[in-house]
Amino acid sequence: MPSSPLARLTVRTRAALGATLVVAVALVAVGLAVVAMLRGGLAENARLHAETTAREVAAEVTDVTAGGVAGVEGLEDDEPVQVVDGAGTVLGASRPLRGRGPVADFNRPDAPEPRPATTAPSPGDDGDDGGDDDGGDGGDGGRDDSGDDDDSDEDGGADRTPSPTGSPVEVDRNSVTRTVTLPVDDDGEVTHDPGRATAVQGFSLVAVQSVTRDRVPVTVYAGASLAEQEQAVSSVTRAMLVGLPVLLVVVGGVTWLVTRSALRPVEGIRREMAAIAAGTDLSRRVPEPPSRDEVARLARTTNETLTALEASVERQRRFVADASHELRSPIASLRTQLEVAAAHPELLDLDGAVHDTVRLQSLAADLLLLARLDAGERPGGARVDLDALVREELAQRAGDRVPVALEEGSGGPVEVTGSRGQLARVLGNLLDNAQRHAVSRVRVRVGRGDGRAVLEVADDGAGVPEEERERIFQRFVRLDDARSRDDGGAGLGLAIARDVAVRHGGTLTAGRAPEGGALFTLRLPAAAPARPERPASG
């Protein structure tokens, strides 16, 4: 299966790309959140400003005349403000909205075309969109020398004055907010002259209901420009678009450098391992960094593995050398006897040839068993009664030079789980070793202790020195150098016994017997009690 392009990249490159991608996603998310919060905060400020203006104007609207509203200072400002009665008639407006229809109909797709204002201009208005104020006060500002009195009479201005009502008027004191767009000129001022409009600008429009002292319901519309919001959002967005790539480059570069520094010891470990593999020198070790991070633990574990591997190889080399030496002796003796017999048949030592053959066969069997144990062969799962196994073994040794006595233990069966053949081999090796070193007596006991099966083999010989009680379980180790090979064996019996014990989940230790000789104790996990068989149903 072909590898993906990402898998062909180095760890440093993947780490840098991954960190850059994560930071990019995080920065984009944070940037969007910041822009949204900034936009919302500025829009709220604009709405609050517009609402404040609308409520101030609503508080000043106390009288409605034929010319509009009177005594309202808020209509003299440059911010868009408009007062509309319940019929939708514009009663007054600030300079940016003079001459326009109701601002509530702006930007509505289903609204009619905006109609021009039908009321007189607000105080201070001379009838010109951008003209100077004449300084008139109240509602008389629209009826000066310009001749508006005649026009008002002809148009029925008195009829346009909202009629007071004596019935209670319900007023919703809550404000209503929406966003509208108004045309603006080059200076950003709202204009209703199409020729001067160069752009459109958003405004936060707030509507506040009120009632005059004559009980005339009116609605005051006030707008606040959103230009500051748009400009701030635009500035922040541009700054983020410029800074994001720079920051990502910095993050990627720093990640690359940090990863390279962190992986430098790994590269040293790889080079040293490659050199060890090429030169087969297991005494070399990889460099261990002084830090306490994962790479340092990897280096220490690698060195521990190399130490174990070196010991294993050395043990195997020594095992092969010792096995070759042990095999060479009986083979050489057997060959000599056969050559002599070929030349002089009457000199054939048949008993010696048989003895060497048996010894060679036993050594080959021991080596084969050790090889199987080293290969990790697991014992079987059969139930083995140690007490019965000991009795069978002792029955075959009835005529041995040193008698073996069975000491009564628990009195019942002591069962373990494992290979009957391997456990019999352990028992035989322990008895052979005890009989070889005993003076007059060997003792065997089978019992239980701490939930484990216990097998003890003791003799009344010289015993094993305390400092040598672990060494005797090594392969091809014999403590008595003066012992002849014919009587002493190859030194594999105890090594095999311990390996079999360990494979069965147990232990084999050496100690001092009450008789003064050696005491070998085999401890194995006791088998679980057998379930009684259910009687067959009739």
Side-chain angles (χ1 to χ4, degrees), residues 15 50 65 72 75 84 102 129-130 144 185 192 194 239 245 253 284 332 348 351 355 385 401 445 476 525 531:
T65 66
V72 180
L75 298 181
V84 182
D129 294 338
D144 56 6
D185 55 18
H192 53 269
R284 301 177 61 173
L348 174 62
D351 293 337
H355 177 75
D385 185 355
R401 179 185 65 85
R445 187 182 75 87
F476 300 105
R531 296 182 180 179

Side-chain angles (χ1 to χ4, degrees), residues 249-532:
V249 171
V250 172
V251 170
V254 171
T255 304
W256 173 276
L257 295 176
V258 171
T259 307
R260 184 181 66 176
S261 176
L263 293 179
R264 186 178 291 114
V266 177
E267 178 62 22
I269 294 174
R270 188 202 64 79
R271 287 197 301 267
E272 189 65 24
M273 290 297 294
I276 293 174
T280 66
D281 183 7
L282 296 180
S283 63
R284 301 177 61 173
R285 296 295 181 266
V286 300
E288 295 186 13
S291 59
R292 298 183 178 180
D293 54 8
E294 293 81 356
V295 177
R297 291 197 293 270
L298 172 63
R300 286 192 291 270
T301 303
T302 302
N303 284 335
E304 292 172 358
T305 303
L306 289 174
T307 301
L309 182 60
E310 182 184 14
S312 176
V313 171
E314 181 61 28
R315 185 168 57 251
Q316 182 181 8
R317 185 183 296 116
R318 188 171 58 250
F319 174 77
V320 172
D322 291 340
S324 300
H325 179 75
E326 293 295 335
L327 288 172
R328 185 169 59 247
S329 296
I331 291 176
S333 176
L334 184 59
R335 177 181 178 181
T336 300
Q337 295 181 42
L338 292 176
E339 289 177 349
V340 171
H344 306 281
E346 69 279 3
L347 299 179
L348 174 62
D349 185 6
L350 187 58
D351 293 337
V354 172
H355 177 75
D356 288 340
T357 303
V358 171
R359 180 181 174 187
L360 185 61
Q361 183 182 9
S362 176
L363 184 57
D366 289 344
L367 294 176
L368 178 60
L369 179 57
L370 285 174
R372 289 161 53 190
L373 293 176
D374 289 341
E377 179 181 336
R378 303 186 63 84
R383 300 175 68 90
V384 181
D385 185 355
L386 289 183
D387 187 73
L389 185 66
V390 170
R391 294 180 185 277
E392 292 178 5
E393 181 68 23
L394 296 186
Q396 300 176 9
R397 296 174 180 263
D400 289 354
R401 179 185 65 85
V402 179
V404 181
L406 177 60
E407 181 179 323
E408 295 297 332
S410 59
V414 180
E415 292 185 336
V416 297
T417 302
S419 171
R420 182 180 181 86
Q422 292 184 8
L423 293 177
R425 186 66 172 275
V426 172
L427 176 60
N429 290 349
L430 293 179
L431 291 176
D432 289 342
N433 181 77
Q435 288 181 324
R436 188 179 301 118
H437 296 85
V439 176
S440 61
R441 181 172 178 267
V442 175
R443 174 177 57 86
V444 179
R445 187 182 75 87
V446 179
R448 292 178 179 270
D450 298 330
R452 300 171 72 88
V454 180
L455 171 65
E456 294 181 352
V457 177
D459 62 74
D460 58 353
V464 181
E466 185 175 357
E467 64 275 8
E468 300 288 349
R469 289 176 183 172
E470 282 299 316
R471 182 169 172 266
I472 60 176
F473 292 105
Q474 298 179 6
R475 298 174 183 182
F476 300 105
V477 170
R478 290 184 298 272
L479 299 183
D480 189 1
D481 294 336
R483 182 187 305 152
S484 66
R485 294 187 182 274
D486 292 339
D487 295 334
L492 294 177
L494 294 180
I496 292 175
R498 169 165 280 190
D499 283 353
V500 172
V502 171
R503 292 297 188 277
H504 282 73
T507 59
L508 178 61
T509 57
R512 185 173 181 82
E515 297 85 350
L519 173 63
F520 290 89
T521 305
L522 172 66
R523 290 182 174 87
L524 298 173
R531 296 182 180 179

Side-chain angles (χ1 to χ4, degrees), residues 62-65 158 161-167 169 211-217:
T62 59
D63 190 16
V64 178
T65 66
T161 303
S163 301
T165 177
S167 60
V169 178
V211 63
T212 68
R213 61 187 176 187
D214 296 332
R215 313 303 294 172
V216 176

Side-chain angles (χ1 to χ4, degrees), residues 159-175:
D159 295 336
R160 294 194 302 270
T161 303
S163 301
T165 177
S167 60
V169 178
E170 295 183 0
V171 178
D172 186 1
R173 299 298 180 182
N174 297 322
S175 62

Side-chain angles (χ1 to χ4, degrees), residues 25-260:
V25 173
L27 288 179
V28 169
V30 172
L32 293 177
V34 169
V35 170
M37 292 177 61
L38 179 61
R39 188 189 301 275
L42 293 177
E44 180 64 16
N45 290 340
R47 189 197 68 80
L48 291 176
H49 179 70
E51 183 177 357
T52 301
T53 301
R55 292 191 183 279
E56 290 177 353
V57 173
E60 295 181 13
V61 177
T62 59
D63 190 16
V64 178
T65 66
V69 294
V72 180
E73 297 180 358
L75 298 181
E76 298 177 0
D77 297 334
D78 292 334
E79 296 181 354
V81 179
Q82 192 180 77
V83 182
V84 182
D85 65 5
T89 303
V90 178
L91 302 178
S94 62
R95 185 177 60 83
L97 296 180
R98 290 172 190 167
R100 290 179 174 273
V103 72
D105 294 338
F106 289 3
N107 308 135
R108 295 184 183 275
D110 57 345
E113 291 294 330
R115 61 182 182 275
T118 58
T119 63
S122 61
D125 186 13
D126 59 358
D128 190 6
D129 294 338
D132 297 330
D133 295 340
D134 289 340
D137 56 354
D140 296 334
R143 297 185 296 275
D144 56 6
D145 296 339
S146 61
D148 288 339
D149 285 336
D150 297 338
D151 295 338
S152 298
D153 293 341
E154 294 174 1
D155 296 339
D159 295 336
R160 294 194 302 270
T161 303
S163 301
T165 177
S167 60
V169 178
E170 295 183 0
V171 178
D172 186 1
R173 299 298 180 182
N174 297 322
S175 62
V176 179
T177 305
R178 72 184 181 93
T179 301
V180 299
T181 56
L182 299 176
V184 295
D185 55 18
D186 292 334
D187 297 329
E189 300 292 337
V190 178
T191 178
H192 53 269
D193 184 359
R196 296 176 55 190
T198 59
V200 293
Q201 182 176 305
F203 284 82
S204 181
L205 185 67
V206 176
V208 175
Q209 293 184 2
S210 182
V211 63
T212 68
R213 61 187 176 187
D214 296 332
R215 313 303 294 172
V216 176
V218 296
T219 301
V220 179
Y221 296 94
S225 175
L226 298 178
E228 180 181 357
Q229 166 192 316
E230 296 173 357
Q231 182 177 3
V233 171
S234 178
S235 299
V236 172
T237 302
R238 284 197 301 270
M240 289 183 176
L241 291 177
V242 173
L244 179 61
V246 177
L247 183 58
L248 292 180
V249 171
V250 172
V251 170
V254 171
T255 304
W256 173 276
L257 295 176
V258 171
T259 307
R260 184 181 66 176

